[in-house]
Structure formats: structure tokens, C-alpha cells
Amino acid sequence: MSEQHPGFETLAIHAGQDADPNNGAVITPIYATSTYLQDGVGSPRQGYEYSRTRNPTRSALEKCLAALEHGARGLAFASGMAAEDTLLRTLCKPGDHVVIPDDAYGGTYRLFSKVAEPWGVAHTAVHLPNVDAVRAAVRSRPTAVVWVETPTNPLLAVADIPALAEVAHESGALLVVDSTFASPYLQQPLTLGADVVVHSTTKYCGGHSDVVGGALVTADAGLGERLAFHQNAMGAVAGPFDAWLVLRGLKTLAVRMERHCDNAERVAAFLQAHPKVGQVLYPGLPDHPGHEVATKQMRRYGGIVSCRLRGGAAAAIEVCERTRLFALAESLGGIESLIEHPGRMTHASAAGSPLEVPDDLVRLSVGIETIDDLLDDLGRALG
Ligand SMILES: *Cc1c(COP(=O)(O)O)cnc(C)c1O
């Protein structure tokens, strides 16, 4: 590998993953151990004393994620929500105020509205593509964090990361970016001014719909250390097998994302030309309101396509139930294609809130199957 600036694919395969010094194993083993032999009282080997605090498989994943995001410290958790909760309780205390997206991931909104709010952390939901609205919300009261998700789930709104970093920093707030939809391959928020990146590694990082996990990567080593303290103190860590699955997923992230993007672009074009589809939401389409910003800050536009059906909720539900290759399921980012109705499924918890999604909306996680088979399936389901 080029010693100076290894490329993304090289880092994904090698960063934090030196061959085992004892036996030469090329692939990081699953260290299924809770504790470690100490050579003397208080002398753990290589700093490993208990696996909630540190585990070699998890350490390899954490180093790899930090390298891919150009961060100082990576931390792996039991789920994306565990990562978010640990971050929230590290950055905020009762009395603080946070700005969140007006179409945040449903679980994130639930964390802020049902857990953080009763604890004393207030939030304001803002349409993040509107930078002036974010500035006004940040200035209206002392704000600890501007929490960004881009692209958003399920409406694919795009937020301008450098502009929002400036808005947050001029008021002394930190900028957090949930970059799950982009994955570390398509967008690296820390290089654009963000302080912390959040991933649900359940999605593209793992990439095979066989693990639930989360991650944080910080730009600053000091903040990384504070988060590591809370990770250990609160204990929502990724187990060794889960860490290993995500580490394995990362090795093929670049090639998978290229194919996800190829297929999603074809699906978006197909849906846009279909008479039963009213609107296609995909940042890769030139008429998408976030297209220009996405082009500046993303390598490509991702594998998620949402659309609104002219026939309303009934038509949206019917399409979801008629596809065969696109499986009707929550989650996203795996090699297989999935379809869902956000209003009744992933975002049901946002019903009646400012984050409610339209009921004629269908979300597709476009997999890496043969594109002609995917288009045939959608064509048949749309009738
Ligand atoms: C899935 C998801 C999460 C939550 O992650 P889990 O691994 O399900 O806990 C957070 N943010 C986004 C954007 C997601 O898609």
C-alpha cells in the first residue's frame, strides 16, 4: 500500500487489521473472550483487561472506521441507537438545547422526543436544507448540538455540511452528522467540518442484513476519549462477532456502493417515467432540490430511492405488497432489495408529529441484484 495516502479501498481492507503477530492469521479473529490474562497485578497485555472496555476485534473495527472517515477516534456500539444515546448523553446535559432535522430517522426522533426531552434536553426540529432557518434556531437560545442527517430517511433531503458546520461553530455548538445513508464511501463529513459522524453500521457498513450495530467517529481525540469513557461506563458496546461482521462488510463497501448507486440511478429513472408515480425523490436527479449540494459533498447519490404514488396511500401499500424481488421489510443498505411503506412501518412512530411522512410514500433500498430483474419486478408491481 502507498505509505503516504492509502486509498479508501486499501484502508477498508487493511486499516487496523494487521496480520496476527502470533500466528499470521490474515483476517482479524473473533476474540470471543470477556477477560484477559494479566502478567502481574495491574499489568494487562496491550491494555486489554475486560471486553466491555476493550476487545481486539472491536478495536480493529474502531480503527478501520476512524481511518475511513479521516477521524481521530472510532467507537463501535451494539446498535446505531446505542451510539446515538451515548453521544447524546456525552454532549448534552439537562437544560441543553439541540437542533434536529424535521425529517430525522424515526428512532432518532423518538430518542429526542421520548427519552432526551423528559431528561431535560429540549430540541427544535428544523428543515436543514434551509441554512437560515437553522441559524435562527441556533441563535434563538444557547444550543449544544446541531444534529444533521444527510441524505435523510425517507425523504432524501440533503443538508449542506460545510454551511451548517459554520452555523454551529459560530454559536459554539458541535455539528453531528448521521451519515448512515451515504456510508463512509460516499461522504466523509469530518473532512467537511463536522465534529462527529454517526453510523448505523446495520445498514451499508455491514451491508448484508445480518448484524445490528452502530458507530461514532470524532474529529477530535479529546472528544473521542470522553466518548470512550462513556462507552465503557454505559456499556452499549458491539460484541466481537458483530464487530467482525461489520469489519468484513467494510472490506467490500466501495464495490457494493458503486453497484447500489448504478442500480438506484436506473430505478429512479424508471420510476420517473412511470405514469403511476407522481414524484421520485433521489438526490441524483437534477430536479431534486438537494442535487447541487449532494454533487458537491458526495461521491455519488446512494442506493435509496423514495417515490410518491399518484393513487395515494392505497396505491403505495399495494405496490409494497406486490413486489416479489423487492422484499417487504424495514431496514436498508443490504445487498438485497427491500421495499417499505414509511408511514405505516419505519416512521409510524412519527405519526401526528411534525415529522409525519406522506402516506403515499414508498421507500426502496435498491440492492445489487441484476438491474433488469429489479426493473421487471417494479414494473409488474406497479401494474
Ligand atoms: C437505522 C438507522 C439508525 C438507527 O440504527 P440502528 O442500528 O437500527 O439502531 C439511525 N439513523 C439512521 C439514518 C438509520 O437509518
Side-chain angles (χ1 to χ4, degrees):
M1 89 170 91
S2 145
E3 292 291 324
Q4 289 294 310
H5 299 290
F8 185 93
E9 294 83 350
T10 307
L11 290 171
I13 293 165
H14 296 288
Q17 303 165 75
D18 292 337
D20 190 298
N22 297 321
N23 53 36
V26 166
I27 295 300
T28 306
I30 301 166
Y31 284 93
T33 186
S34 60
T35 191
Y36 305 83
L37 181 70
Q38 304 202 10
D39 293 323
V41 173
S43 310
R45 293 182 191 176
Q46 300 165 26
Y48 291 107
E49 52 189 22
Y50 186 61
S51 277
R52 170 162 34 71
T53 321
R54 282 185 78 200
N55 172 281
T57 315
R58 195 175 93 223
S59 297
L61 171 61
E62 292 177 336
K63 284 183 190 149
C64 186
L65 285 163
L68 295 180
E69 290 285 4
H70 301 278
R73 185 75 177 257
L75 297 158
F77 293 85
S79 69
M81 292 320 303
E84 292 190 16
D85 176 41
T86 305
L87 178 61
L88 177 71
R89 287 192 282 155
T90 303
L91 299 183
C92 300
K93 57 186 186 317
D96 282 346
H97 172 241
V98 177
V99 169
I100 64 167
D102 70 350
D103 60 345
Y105 169 70
T108 300
Y109 181 65
R110 186 173 53 202
L111 178 68
F112 279 101
S113 61
K114 300 279 176 23
V115 180
E117 177 112 25
W119 184 52
V121 172
H123 65 268
T124 306
V126 181
H127 189 55
L128 299 188
N130 184 345
V131 176
D132 291 334
V134 177
R135 187 179 292 111
V138 168
R139 285 183 180 171
S140 70
R141 56 197 285 193
T143 299
V145 174
V146 176
W147 188 288
V148 172
E149 201 182 302
T150 185
T152 57
N153 178 5
L155 296 172
L156 285 313
V158 176
D160 186 329
I161 297 172
L164 294 179
E166 204 178 308
V167 166
H169 294 156
E170 74 192 8
S171 293
L174 292 181
L175 191 83
V176 169
V177 177
D178 181 338
S179 196
T180 298
F181 267 39
S183 88
Y185 179 68
L186 295 180
Q187 159 179 295
Q188 285 139 19
L190 302 183
T191 67
L192 300 167
D195 299 289
V196 186
V197 180
V198 178
H199 283 290
S200 167
T201 54
T202 310
K203 317 295 167 54
Y204 289 108
C205 292
H208 295 73
S209 303
D210 53 11
V211 61
V212 171
L216 301 174
V217 183
T218 66
D220 178 68
L223 176 57
E225 201 50 48
R226 279 172 60 209
L227 284 166
F229 176 84
H230 280 91
Q231 180 194 39
N232 180 51
M234 295 168 180
V237 295
F241 183 51
D242 289 355
W244 186 87
L245 283 170
V246 177
L247 199 54
R248 176 179 171 141
L250 287 176
K251 292 175 195 292
T252 55
L253 180 64
V255 289
R256 282 188 286 109
M257 288 316 292
E258 289 292 346
R259 183 59 63 86
H260 280 297
C261 292
D262 288 345
N263 284 359
E265 284 169 15
R266 293 279 305 275
V267 164
F270 173 84
L271 292 173
Q272 211 172 27
H274 200 284
K276 295 205 171 152
V277 175
Q279 190 190 4
V280 179
L281 305 169
Y282 184 64
L285 295 172
D287 66 356
H288 185 279
H291 180 67
E292 206 177 308
V293 173
T295 302
K296 271 194 293 187
Q297 69 190 20
M298 296 177 74
R299 196 194 292 258
R300 292 183 71 182
Y301 305 99
I304 309 296
V305 179
S306 292
C307 65
R308 299 182 68 172
L309 275 287
R310 287 192 199 281
I317 289 165
E318 197 182 330
V319 172
C320 292
E321 291 177 345
R322 286 184 58 168
T323 53
R324 280 182 239 154
L325 197 48
F326 277 86
L328 178 60
E330 301 196 354
S331 198
L332 57 103
I335 60 300
E336 75 293 318
S337 292
L338 302 177
I339 188 166
E340 69 123 357
H341 185 266
R344 299 268 174 98
M345 295 172 64
T346 50
H347 291 66
S349 64
S353 81
L355 282 84
E356 186 170 310
V357 295
D359 63 3
D360 57 2
L361 190 75
V362 170
R363 187 188 76 187
L364 303 169
S365 175
V366 181
I368 61 172
E369 298 96 335
T370 311
I371 185 61
D372 292 337
D373 295 334
L374 295 177
L375 298 182
D376 281 353
D377 191 39
L378 288 174
R380 228 186 349 252
L382 282 162

